[in-house]
Amino acid sequence: MNQPDELLCFPAIVSAIEVISGKWSYSVISQLCQGTQRFNQLRRNLPGISIKSLTDTLRHLENRGIISRKVVSTVPVTVEYALTESGRAFNEVLVRMRDWGVTWGRYNLAED
């Protein structure tokens, strides 16, 4: 890539990295790839996450259009989270990152 191409790509790459910049973002996206979940379902499926961290991560991903939040008028109120079209597409990015990590990441450090 030459200098102008790199300058054009940089903002797009930063935007993609910002999606998973939080400690729990990848884990939440992975859980929601399995389908719509409620807050407490996510909390149970993500051992070690605090309520605050889960809340912050869900807001972060919702603000970036990766997940949707749906309030269901039940007693008590139920809130459901799901991946948006953008979130489902972002999962492909995560799969590619995993593949890179397996091929070139820590898994291969022993070979160097």
Side-chain angles (χ1 to χ4, degrees), residues 32 35-39 42 58 67-69 79-82:
L32 292 176
T36 300
Q37 293 187 37
R38 296 186 312 266
F39 185 91
L42 284 166
L58 291 169
I67 66 170
S68 63
R69 179 180 185 269
V79 180
E80 297 177 336
Y81 296 92

Side-chain angles (χ1 to χ4, degrees), residues 102-112:
V102 168
T103 303
W104 301 103
R106 284 186 188 207
Y107 296 107
N108 280 332
L109 289 180
E111 294 178 8
D112 290 340

Side-chain angles (χ1 to χ4, degrees), residues 20-80:
I20 56 168
S21 62
K23 175 180 177 181
W24 292 99
S25 294
Y26 168 77
S27 298
V28 169
I29 293 169
S30 294
Q31 281 300 311
L32 292 176
C33 282
Q34 298 172 30
T36 300
Q37 293 187 37
R38 296 186 312 266
F39 185 91
N40 283 328
Q41 285 177 295
L42 284 166
R43 200 170 66 134
R44 279 190 302 274
N45 291 331
L46 297 168
I49 193 168
S50 69
I51 291 172
K52 181 182 181 338
S53 291
L54 180 55
T55 300
D56 291 347
T57 300
L58 291 169
R59 284 186 185 142
H60 166 81
L61 294 172
E62 183 182 9
N63 288 338
R64 281 160 178 74
I66 301 300
I67 66 170
S68 63
R69 179 180 185 269
K70 179 182 174 187
V71 178
V72 181
S73 55
T74 57
V75 178
V77 172
T78 303
V79 180
E80 297 177 336

